[in-house]
């Protein structure tokens, strides 16, 4: 257990408490609205929207979480360790709720040894004098489950038998074909996903996690023994969804716990902003405006926080010829 916990010491999450949930609210007029303070209520049920030829609910497109980035899992808008945000000065009920919806206190139920590792990471994050205190995402490692849903916008693509999610920090392939998980000795940053649709809800079972990906900058983590049960619950209009994930890991937690991360859709009617709607226009003169997800110039261990290949332009030739 000690080995497993030590290999995950650099991990971090964000959480959501059940109080302060609102009914589905209209999306911000544009990305300047930045962060919302509430989590919409979206019930699982029938899907009444458009479907793809293979029968899947049509939910493809660009999405982004609505309450904060990955700095703090249990107090999303309070900022990272040692760098409190302006919102941190507000009363707690005036900020977004914890991403942990169960337990009711909004805290991850760690075993004592695991809590000590998490607290040690948080204490040393502002001045990482040892490599284990450097967030893996800062070294261009994949953000993993669940942090990928809190780090920049992402694109959902759908194919017969698959849902593919293109993150700023890697790609997830969710197989819908009923095939078995990978052998248990194979461990991946984003785990191994097998899913199916239940009405408006994509139900996914995630195994084979490598236990290295951070949840956020406070060091919240799971080990390679963790299993994650995900539910992507889409509203009838297909404009919002709640990512609801239950984490089970007896080597790290005293009991299973659940997180909730809200997201909304972005379209060509929105203005790209480099975060929520982090896209580039497709070069198709004379045709309607369309955007595409740009591949991040960053691969594991190739550079510092902020983009890896420092100074490489995203829209111009790297080398003038």
């Amino acid at each position: 257990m000690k080995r497993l916990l030590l290999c995950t010491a650099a991990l971090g999450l964000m959480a959501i408490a059940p109080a302060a949930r609102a009914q589905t609210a209209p999306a911000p007029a544009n990305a300047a609205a930045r962060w919302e303070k509430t989590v919409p209520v979206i019930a699982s049920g029938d899907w009444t929207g458009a479907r793809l030829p293979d029968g899947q609910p049509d939910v493809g497109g660009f999405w982004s979480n609505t309450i904060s980035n990955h700095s703090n899992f249990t107090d999303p808008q309070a900022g990272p360790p040692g760098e409190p945000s302006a919102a941190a000065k507000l009363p707690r009920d005036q900020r977004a709720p914890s991403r942990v919806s169960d337990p009711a206190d909004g805290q991850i139920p760690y075993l004592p040894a695991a809590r000590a590792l998490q607290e040690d990471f948080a204490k040393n994050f502002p001045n990482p004098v040892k490599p284990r205190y450097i967030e893996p995402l800062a070294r261009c490692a994949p953000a993993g489950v669940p942090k990928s849903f809190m780090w920049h916008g992402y694109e959902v693509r759908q194919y017969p038998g698959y849902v593919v999610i293109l993150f700023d920090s890697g790609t997830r392939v969710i197989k819908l074909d009923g095939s078995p998980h990978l052998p248990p000795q194979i461990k991946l940053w984003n785990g191994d996903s097998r899913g199916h649709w239940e009405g408006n809800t994509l139900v996914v079972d995630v195994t084979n996690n490598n236990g290295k990906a951070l949840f956020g900058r406070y060091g919240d983590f799971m080990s390679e023994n963790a299993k994650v049960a995900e539910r992507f619950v889409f509203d009838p209009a297909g404009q919002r969804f709640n990512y609801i994930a239950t984490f089970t890991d007896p080597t790290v937690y005293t009991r299973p716990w659940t997180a909730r991360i809200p997201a909304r859709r972005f379209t060509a009617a929105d203005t790209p902003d480099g975060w929520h709607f982090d896209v580039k226009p497709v070069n198709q003169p004379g045709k309607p405006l369309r955007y595409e997800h740009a591949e991040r110039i960053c691969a594991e261990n190739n550079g510092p926080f902020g983009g890896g290949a420092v100074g490489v332009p995203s829209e111009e030739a790297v080398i003038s010829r």
Side-chain angles (χ1 to χ4, degrees):
M1 173 180 170
K2 181 177 180 181
R3 181 184 67 82
L4 294 175
L5 291 174
L6 286 175
C7 78
T8 56
L11 309 182
L13 275 162
M14 301 187 198
I16 294 180
R21 297 223 178 107
Q23 296 298 319
T24 302
N30 55 57
R34 196 57 170 153
W35 304 119
E36 300 174 349
K37 297 181 180 180
T38 57
V39 178
V41 173
I42 305 174
S44 293
D46 294 334
W47 173 255
T48 58
R51 291 184 180 274
L52 298 173
D54 68 342
Q56 287 192 62
D58 185 357
V59 297
F62 300 99
W63 299 85
S64 183
N65 102 86
T66 60
I67 60 173
S68 188
N69 66 13
H70 67 289
S71 290
N72 188 327
F73 200 78
T74 58
D75 194 351
Q77 296 175 354
E83 191 180 341
S85 67
K89 300 176 183 179
L90 299 172
R92 184 63 187 86
D93 61 1
Q94 294 183 27
R95 303 195 295 273
S98 169
R99 289 192 172 91
V100 176
S101 57
D102 177 43
D105 65 0
Q107 300 301 311
I108 297 172
Y110 286 111
L111 290 166
R115 173 63 78 184
L117 286 173
Q118 177 268 315
E119 291 176 342
D120 180 63
F121 182 90
K123 181 179 69 175
N124 287 279
F125 175 83
N127 183 29
V129 296
K130 297 180 181 179
R132 73 170 183 263
Y133 298 132
I134 299 175
E135 183 184 31
L137 187 59
R139 289 175 267 174
C140 298
V145 177
K147 190 166 70 176
S148 295
F149 295 105
M150 301 174 283
W151 175 249
H152 285 270
Y154 46 89
E155 183 179 3
V156 174
R157 295 185 181 181
Q158 295 171 271
Y159 306 93
Y162 297 90
V163 174
V164 178
I165 309 178
L166 304 177
F167 293 111
D168 186 73
S169 60
T171 301
R172 274 188 69 183
V173 177
I174 301 172
K175 291 187 175 182
L176 309 177
D177 59 2
S179 59
H181 281 289
L182 294 171
Q185 67 270 24
I186 299 175
K187 304 294 183 180
L188 307 171
W189 283 94
N190 282 310
D192 183 50
S193 298
R194 297 293 186 274
H196 65 276
W197 285 95
E198 295 179 2
N200 68 340
T201 303
L202 177 61
V203 180
V204 183
D205 180 58
V206 187
T207 62
N208 301 78
N209 297 287
N210 68 8
K212 297 179 181 180
L214 291 168
F215 289 9
R217 293 172 175 171
Y218 272 80
D220 295 297
F221 69 98
M222 61 184 173
S223 81
E224 64 186 47
N225 301 310
K227 294 184 178 181
V228 187
E230 299 176 322
R231 296 178 66 86
F232 299 73
V233 187
F234 291 84
D235 73 6
Q239 299 304 307
R240 297 267 184 165
F241 79 81
N242 283 336
Y243 169 83
I244 302 171
T246 297
F247 297 79
T248 300
D249 188 343
T251 60
V252 176
Y253 314 128
T254 61
R255 70 173 182 88
W257 60 277
T258 300
R260 187 180 304 249
I261 301 172
R264 83 152 177 108
R265 184 192 291 273
F266 284 76
T267 70
D270 295 290
T271 302
D273 67 339
W275 182 271
H276 298 287
F277 198 27
D278 192 7
V279 295
K280 303 297 180 183
V282 176
N283 184 16
Q284 49 178 15
K287 295 184 178 181
L289 177 64
R290 187 165 65 88
Y291 291 106
E292 63 183 357
H293 184 91
E295 183 178 1
R296 188 184 187 204
I297 309 173
C298 191
E300 187 175 348
N301 293 325
N302 83 335
F305 179 84
V310 177
V312 174
S314 62
E315 297 177 282
E316 303 171 17
V318 175
I319 300 173
S320 298
R321 294 181 173 85

